[in-house]
């Protein structure tokens, strides 16, 4: 599990190298906008839920912006889990500035969430770029299922696994004349190693190593099912959700939304 602790160090270092003002005005958007930080398709999914009395958890919550946004739909409480302690400190500060008092943030390895949280949530969700930090999705989704009440709901919104085949603009394999050209195996098992910071969060610098992993759609659906959750919906979209718009609208699967329900007998 060393890669997880190494990623913790890399994330916390990236936050210390964050771009000026990164995340500091999230409370303003939370106060002024309806469901900021969610794309339209996810927002519609969330708006269809009756949140009254619901306890909600976000795994890999980063600086808490999605969880805090969801709570404004009326959930009773929210808990955000993440490994990076300094990023969670910003999450707590954002909650305070936005006047959200029914939320807490817990710093820990997601796979080691204490058993005191098991069976404690009506809804557990992951957002963009979370599951890539785990080599094996089985223990990850089992932890999500353990934390859900019987009949609880699970939501995953992320990059489509197909995107792991596509070179990003700036990479040698990217060809603007052939933007649908694939460069990597869909079934890649070796990890991705990065040492240039975290692009959306920090400036580029010689960073500690980020280690991430590719997963196929079969890996994802299979791990959800093996954890005792029944897949209810799987939608795929032809737009990216954070990496690049170079491939948008070209008929390629770029993002997806999966929802599931935990077995009511467990």
């Amino acid at each position: 599990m060393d890669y997880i602790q190494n990623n913790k160090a890399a994330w916390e270092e990236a936050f210390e190298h964050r771009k000026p003002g990164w995340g500091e005005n999230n409370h303003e958007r939370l106060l002024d906008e309806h469901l900021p930080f969610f794309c339209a398709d996810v927002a519609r999914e969330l708006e269809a839920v009756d949140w009254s009395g619901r306890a909600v958890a976000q795994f890999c919550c980063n600086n808490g912006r999605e969880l805090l946004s969801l709570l404004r739909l009326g959930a009773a409480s929210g808990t955000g889990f993440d490994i990076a302690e300094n990023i969670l400190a910003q999450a707590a500060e954002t909650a305070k500035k936005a006047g959200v008092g029914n939320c807490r943030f817990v710093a820990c390895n997601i796979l080691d969430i204490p058993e005191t949280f098991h069976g404690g949530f009506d809804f557990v969700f992951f957002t963009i770029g979370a599951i890539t930090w785990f080599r094996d999705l089985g223990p990850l989704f089992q932890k999500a299922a353990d934390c859900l009440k019987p009949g609880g709901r699970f939501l995953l919104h992320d990059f489509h696994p197909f995107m792991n085949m596509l070179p990003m603009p700036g990479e040698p394999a990217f060809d603007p004349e052939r933007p649908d050209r694939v460069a990597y195996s869909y079934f890649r098992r070796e990890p991705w190693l990065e040492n240039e910071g975290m692009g959306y969060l920090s400036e580029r610098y010689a960073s500690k190593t980020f280690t991430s992993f590719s997963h196929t759609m079969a890996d994802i659906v299979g791990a959800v099912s093996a954890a005792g959750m029944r897949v209810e919906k799987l939608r795929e979209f032809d737009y990216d959700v954070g990496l690049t718009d170079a491939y948008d609208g070209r008929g390629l699967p770029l993002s997806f939304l999966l929802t599931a329900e935990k077995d009511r007998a467990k």
Side-chain angles (χ1 to χ4, degrees), residues 8 31 75-76 94 96 102 110 122 139 152 181 191 205 225 260:
K8 169 182 166 63
L31 292 169
T94 299
K96 181 179 179 180
N102 60 338
I110 298 299
D122 301 284
R181 177 185 178 188
Y205 66 99
S225 298

Side-chain angles (χ1 to χ4, degrees), residues 66-78:
E66 293 101 348
L67 177 62
L68 294 169
S69 181
L70 186 154
L71 286 177
R72 300 190 72 82
L73 290 176
S77 65

Side-chain angles (χ1 to χ4, degrees), residues 145-256:
D146 290 343
C147 287
L148 282 170
K149 300 175 183 178
R153 303 289 300 283
F154 173 88
L155 181 146
L156 169 61
H157 179 230
D158 214 330
F159 306 113
H160 197 286
F162 181 81
M163 285 208 74
N164 289 316
M165 302 175 69
L166 300 173
M168 293 294 104
E171 293 183 9
F174 180 76
D175 182 354
E177 301 300 320
R178 295 184 56 196
D180 57 348
R181 177 185 178 188
V182 298
Y184 309 105
S185 170
Y186 182 74
F187 300 100
R188 178 186 174 111
R189 290 304 177 193
E190 62 269 29
W192 302 90
L193 304 177
E194 299 174 85
N195 296 93
E196 297 183 339
M198 181 52 58
Y200 76 91
L201 160 62
S202 70
E203 304 292 349
R204 180 174 293 186
Y205 66 99
S207 72
K208 295 179 180 179
T209 301
F210 290 90
T211 303
S212 60
F213 304 90
S214 297
H215 304 291
T216 66
M217 190 61 77
D219 294 334
I220 295 167
V221 174
V224 170
S225 298
M229 297 185 287
R230 179 178 60 85
V231 175
E232 296 179 317
K233 183 184 299 182
L234 175 59
R235 298 181 61 196
E236 299 169 297
F237 309 105
D238 69 346
Y239 58 82
D240 174 54
V241 283
L243 292 176
T244 176
D245 60 5
Y247 298 107
D248 285 4
R250 296 180 179 273
L252 304 175
L254 303 179
S255 58
F256 76 96

Side-chain angles (χ1 to χ4, degrees), residues 74-94:
S77 65
T79 304
F81 298 95
D82 200 276
I83 201 167
E85 296 178 42
N86 54 3
I87 301 180
L88 283 185
Q90 186 183 79
E93 182 65 18
T94 299

